[in-house]
Amino acid sequence: MAENETTLIRLCEIAAVPAGTVKRVKVEGLPALAVYNLNNEFFITDDTCTHGQASLSDGVIDGDMIECPLHAGCFSIRTGEPLSFPATVPIRTYRVRIVGEEIFAEIEKAGTQ
Ligand code: FES
């Protein structure tokens, strides 16, 4: 049985996301992503809020939570879970891989049958 393949997609340099900030990154083949630096621990989620057309990277980081700039719905940066109304649908999260000085998203592709 074929195993799922993992692809690394380069997003940006570590230096582009200082501690306590979030950066919007758009790369081919993926929706717009938000890359977060929480005390030099990195996380990646979808950038578009699940409640409306707002860019979470324009929002405010509060601990390990991102507050949407449009209606103040909050999501866990670690898990994508919605934490406060009107956010009710999780945002997708992505596995992070650091290679050298660069941040990559680790994407699982379905294995070929
Ligand atoms: S668009 Fe994000 S909470 Fe409404």
Side-chain angles (χ1 to χ4, degrees), residues 28-50:
E28 204 178 316
L30 288 176
L33 300 177
V35 181
Y36 308 82
N37 179 341
L38 304 182
N39 291 323
N40 295 316
E41 199 180 352
F42 293 90
F43 299 89
I44 305 166
T45 71
D46 276 342
D47 184 51
T48 304
C49 183
T50 54

Side-chain angles (χ1 to χ4, degrees), residues 51 71-74 84-89:
H51 179 252
H71 307 116
C74 293
S84 75
F85 191 79
T88 55
V89 177

Side-chain angles (χ1 to χ4, degrees), residues 35 79 94 102:
V35 181
T79 67
Y94 300 80
E102 301 187 316

Side-chain angles (χ1 to χ4, degrees), residues 27-106:
V27 292
E28 204 178 316
L30 288 176
L33 300 177
V35 181
Y36 308 82
N37 179 341
L38 304 182
N39 291 323
N40 295 316
E41 199 180 352
F42 293 90
F43 299 89
I44 305 166
T45 71
D46 276 342
D47 184 51
T48 304
C49 183
T50 54
H51 179 252
Q53 286 303 309
S55 179
L56 293 173
S57 56
D58 290 334
V60 176
I61 295 175
D62 181 2
D64 58 1
M65 191 170 82
I66 182 75
E67 182 182 295
C68 177
L70 195 52
H71 307 116
C74 293
F75 299 90
S76 166
I77 291 168
R78 295 175 184 274
T79 67
E81 285 303 308
L83 298 174
S84 75
F85 191 79
T88 55
V89 177
I91 46 172
R92 184 175 173 192
T93 59
Y94 300 80
R95 267 198 297 238
V96 177
R97 182 89 69 87
I98 304 296
V99 181
E101 296 297 314
E102 301 187 316
I103 301 170
F104 292 76
E106 201 177 305

